[in-house]
Amino acid sequence: MKRNIIAGLAVIFLLSSCNNNEKMLDSLADYNNSREEKGYHFGEELKLPKEVTDHAETITISFGDKETSNLTVDPRFFTLGDNDVTFIVKTKSGETLNQDATINVFANSPEQNISYDIVADYPHDPTNFVEGFLLEGNTVYESAGLDGASKLIKYTLGSSVPSLVEKQPANIFSEGCAIVGDKIYQLTYKNKIGFVYDKNSLKKLSEFPLPNVIGEGWGLTYDGKNLIATDGSKNLFFLDVNDPSKVVRTVAVAGHAEIYDNINELEYHNGYIYSNIWHKPVILKINPATGEVVGKFDFTKLTQENDQGNSEYVLNGIAFKGDHMLVTGKNWAKIYEIAIK
């Protein structure tokens, strides 16, 4: 009789424990879902529901290769943007529960809407599918993409007729480019390689494999120390200019209430990174130290005037002429000079 009572109590305890565990996981999932859109900011505490904390011995957040038991959004563990994590809850009854979640982290300060005036425009070859766009002095260096039509071009601002053209093999889709001294570095879209050219002759000097972490080559710029690349994600990859296959650091990009992925063509100017967002008529001003978007330009009107009704003819091309910004796009017939207010 006593054995049956003990067995019955064990079953009741097990059922009660399972029920509590299920409630804890449901409560944690509901909490995570409710916070995903609102997100967090650095320094903010994750205030988990009492159904979890009252029955937990310990709570750990796993990021795959690292863990923390600190329920504060700490930049040592979290990046800006979306963070895929797993909550590991060890209950007071001795069980271990796992709950996957996405924790979005946004910049602490709202990005500024930056106003501007168009002060000049210049002709641009509308057959060029712009992927990289540079200005040095009065000389434009442009990387045009598409399979079978990719090329590196050099011409004088104000003339759409190139002085030099270096055509790519048919299997190469050219992407972003950057000037480093007397060389031009250029990414490729899906070939997992980059090229180095002589800036004056546009003759190819060498090539290098892209780092494994970069899935595709998109945008490229140079901050005077590192090359900075994008791959269509939220990330900026800082590369060793002497060994572009090596990632020095990675910075994720986000605004105050929005995660920006599809980071594309880049330009570094006066301590900030300026970036196109693929298929959006905006340019972001980004703090390279933190990835925070501090400002945003709206070029909706210019895009509508130049896309010819083709959704692929997007804004994509940033350079600086002194403190004025030059902008253009894929297959646009003009380059615009912008005075920033």
Side-chain angles (χ1 to χ4, degrees), residues 236-265:
L236 298 170
F237 299 95
F238 290 72
L239 310 180
D240 186 338
V241 70
N242 297 313
D243 180 7
S245 301
K246 178 182 177 182
V247 177
V248 177
R249 66 187 179 103
T250 303
V251 175
V253 176
H256 186 63
E258 184 176 354
I259 297 169
Y260 294 100
D261 56 7
N262 288 328
I263 304 293
N264 200 0
E265 212 269 329

Side-chain angles (χ1 to χ4, degrees), residues 15-126:
L15 290 173
S16 175
S17 176
C18 290
N19 192 40
N20 282 337
N21 292 347
E22 189 174 328
K23 286 181 179 179
M24 289 174 69
L25 290 175
D26 287 345
S27 176
L28 185 56
D30 290 343
Y31 169 79
N32 289 329
N33 291 336
S34 70
R35 286 302 305 248
E36 190 167 334
E37 184 174 346
K38 182 180 179 182
Y40 294 88
H41 299 90
F42 287 126
E44 190 174 348
E45 183 182 355
L46 280 71
K47 297 179 179 178
L48 302 183
K50 283 178 60 64
E51 291 88 346
V52 177
T53 57
D54 285 354
H55 296 90
E57 186 72 38
T58 63
I59 302 172
T60 303
I61 303 174
S62 171
F63 299 82
D65 59 344
K66 54 188 176 180
E67 292 184 352
T68 179
S69 56
N70 183 359
L71 298 181
T72 300
V73 181
D74 187 333
R76 290 179 300 173
F77 298 96
F78 292 88
T79 70
L80 286 173
D82 51 332
N83 295 261
D84 292 326
V85 305
T86 300
F87 286 93
I88 303 171
V89 182
K90 292 187 178 179
T91 70
K92 291 178 178 179
S93 57
E95 289 133 324
T96 300
L97 309 177
N98 294 329
Q99 176 69 60
D100 293 334
T102 298
I103 295 179
N104 290 323
V105 181
F106 299 119
N108 288 334
S109 301
E111 48 267 55
Q112 174 191 4
N113 291 317
I114 304 174
S115 57
Y116 59 88
D117 288 322
I118 300 172
V119 296
D121 62 62
Y122 308 92
H124 179 257
D125 187 342

Side-chain angles (χ1 to χ4, degrees), residues 13 57 94 97 109 165 167 174 195 265 292 314 321 326:
F13 176 79
E57 186 72 38
L97 309 177
S109 301
V165 177
K167 293 184 178 180
S174 296
F195 300 124
E265 212 269 329
E292 293 190 13
V314 295
K321 182 174 179 279
L326 297 181

Side-chain angles (χ1 to χ4, degrees), residues 124-162:
H124 179 257
D125 187 342
T127 66
N128 290 347
F129 197 76
V130 179
E131 297 291 358
F133 185 67
L134 308 167
L135 182 73
E136 188 175 73
N138 206 37
T139 302
V140 178
Y141 299 87
E142 189 172 313
S143 177
L146 295 179
D147 291 322
S150 289
K151 54 191 173 182
L152 188 62
I153 314 156
K154 181 177 181 180
Y155 59 93
T156 301
L157 182 65
S159 171
S160 59
V161 179

